Amino acid sequence: MFYAIISQDVEDSLEKRMSVRADHIARLQALQDEGRMLIAGPHPAIDSDDPGPAGFTGSLIVAEFDSLEAAQAWADADPYIAAGVYENVIVKPFKKVF
């Protein structure tokens, strides 16, 4: 089943994000390579694909996991958690209709 991982950044998270971005992207790439990724990306802080120093306010990942517990465990192990990028993370089932 698909699960949505909805994350909210702390204020001024850009430097923290950049410090562990490569590790974060590597985990997402692994999901993509396994054919489990539906969508993933950050929420720009301003109305722009490249928000520059304004940074990001959070992220959305929708990927396939065996269970809610597995999705939560994967989200909890995100390098952005360890680096203090995320203030809040919600993991919940997602049903793809379109």
Side-chain angles (χ1 to χ4, degrees):
M1 177 168 198
F2 285 111
Y3 294 88
I5 302 169
I6 307 155
S7 306
Q8 182 71 35
D9 282 20
V10 298
E11 290 289 324
D12 299 317
S13 62
L14 188 57
E15 187 175 321
K16 292 177 183 180
R17 273 180 170 267
M18 297 313 292
S19 72
V20 293
R21 185 174 187 274
D23 295 334
H24 173 78
I25 295 296
R27 296 179 79 237
L28 294 173
Q29 187 63 56
L31 287 177
Q32 178 74 17
D33 293 347
E34 294 166 6
R36 297 168 48 201
M37 178 70 68
L38 183 61
I39 191 170
H43 301 286
I46 60 174
D47 191 11
S48 173
D49 283 341
D50 182 5
F56 301 92
T57 62
S59 300
L60 170 64
I61 299 165
V62 179
E64 190 173 22
F65 294 92
D66 290 335
S67 66
L68 178 59
E69 292 77 18
Q72 184 69 59
W74 188 92
D76 289 345
D78 194 308
Y80 282 178
I81 295 282
V85 173
Y86 293 147
E87 178 178 318
N88 184 34
V89 178
I90 297 169
V91 180
K92 56 186 175 179
F94 179 83
K95 180 180 177 184
K96 182 180 183 235
V97 176
F98 294 102

